[in-house]
Amino acid sequence: MKRLIINDLIKWKNRKDRKPLILKGVRQCGKTYILKLFGKENYKDVAYFNFEGNPALAKHFEQDLDPKRIIIELGVLNGKKINPQSTLIIFDEIQFSNAAITSLKYFYEQIPEYHIVCAGSLLGITLSRPLSFPVGKVDFLNLRPMCFYEFVLANGEEMLLEYIEKIDAKVQIPQMFADKFSTLFKTYLVTGGMPEVVASWVENKDVSEVERIQDVILNSYELDFAKHAPKTEFPKLSLIWKSIPDQLAKENGKFIYGHVKPGARAKDLEDALQWLVSAGMVYKVHKIEKPAIPLSAYSSPTFFKVYLADVGLLRRMSKLPASSIFEETHLYTEFKGAMTENYVLNELVNLHGDMPYYWKSGNTAEVDFIAQFEEKIVPIEVKASINVKSRSLGVYRDKYKPKVSVRASLLNLKVDEELLNVPLYMFWNVEKLI
């Protein structure tokens, strides 16, 4: 399946100031697959080393951190000489060797001609304690679950995407195409963007198999908590993780520590929550008081919402039947707003990696997201269907007079004065439309 990050990996390969690369991302988002594919398509050879369950490999880094010695010994393990420039070296699950993480500094300083990429569970890297993390000596890229654009590509609709990509903001999408995209969008809410889940859906179209794989992924996350977190922190990580669907389902969506565990306060749980954020498993969206640059200067550290990195896993954790999304039954009514918000947030983060904010004026009005596109601060209201009645965005527009406002819904593409209605299924193109 095509992943857009391949273009960034090629740019990394061609940079003169290239450093060892750490590909960050949550477990099961396709890091190993994409690095192997990148190596196969862009190098003469790939030398792959997996540190998980392989203490013998880690010992080659524990003797000392001499990169020239390590390269020779890795070549012996590989059964083939590792050549600079033409061999891609992959260190998988690198969080299982603190010495290997530290060694990246010496690879960069002493033998930068070798091309080294690393992958690992972000939670493991966050909670591991390297001898000395190679700050400033490594490059980073983020791989997230597949965005909706990549999901549509995986479903063989490249021509449809090319057509939509060229549409002007003032031109409506033909109904036949809109219906097709709407179905794909609803399917994406069911599957989410975990590559193994998407691959299963594309091949089998079997929701029960999709949910089986999602359950396996969710269980692997719980195992990661137990494997990497201190014993005292594991219960906190697990409780926060399991509370997120309930927190999002509440009317205002604000994260409340007391809903994780009765009587819990911020000081009891904030470190555990930050670990989940650092691991890329959850996203924190802070409230701002007013939309001004820099947005961070006007944000509140204590008022925030928490979302999941994958909307399909959110649906599965919520025990929401897939049929409810397509049938629009009452079972879906309560939760569809939160799921759609989570989807839009994931798409926004995929655009630049930047986290948006949300705006609230007392108890009278709330705008789901405030995002910055170059010099524009854009309010974004999210609606899960074609019913778009809401006064909150109107309150914001009257107060701040933004040059452009966005409403994401299932309505067709439309511009009404400075209000741009972007269909949820083409939100990946929102920056161009703005």
Side-chain angles (χ1 to χ4, degrees), residues 87 239 359:
T87 302
L239 284 170
W359 173 83

Short mmCIF file of all heavy atoms in Angstrom, two decimals, residues 87 239 359:
data_model
loop_
_atom_site.label_atom_id
_atom_site.label_comp_id
_atom_site.label_asym_id
_atom_site.label_seq_id
_atom_site.Cartn_x
_atom_site.Cartn_y
_atom_site.Cartn_z
N THR A 87 23.98 0.36 0.92
CA THR A 87 23.25 -0.52 1.83
C THR A 87 22.43 0.32 2.82
O THR A 87 22.95 1.24 3.44
CB THR A 87 24.20 -1.42 2.64
OG1 THR A 87 25.00 -2.19 1.75
CG2 THR A 87 23.43 -2.35 3.56
N LEU A 239 -5.70 2.89 32.82
CA LEU A 239 -6.95 3.57 33.17
C LEU A 239 -7.21 4.76 32.25
O LEU A 239 -8.34 4.97 31.79
CB LEU A 239 -6.91 4.02 34.64
CG LEU A 239 -7.13 2.95 35.70
CD1 LEU A 239 -6.82 3.51 37.09
CD2 LEU A 239 -8.56 2.41 35.65
N TRP A 359 -11.60 26.50 20.77
CA TRP A 359 -11.98 27.78 21.36
C TRP A 359 -13.31 27.63 22.07
O TRP A 359 -14.23 26.99 21.57
CB TRP A 359 -12.07 28.86 20.29
CG TRP A 359 -12.62 30.17 20.78
CD1 TRP A 359 -11.93 31.17 21.40
CD2 TRP A 359 -13.97 30.64 20.66
NE1 TRP A 359 -12.75 32.22 21.69
CE2 TRP A 359 -14.02 31.93 21.24
CE3 TRP A 359 -15.14 30.10 20.13
CZ2 TRP A 359 -15.20 32.67 21.30
CZ3 TRP A 359 -16.32 30.83 20.18
CH2 TRP A 359 -16.33 32.11 20.77
#
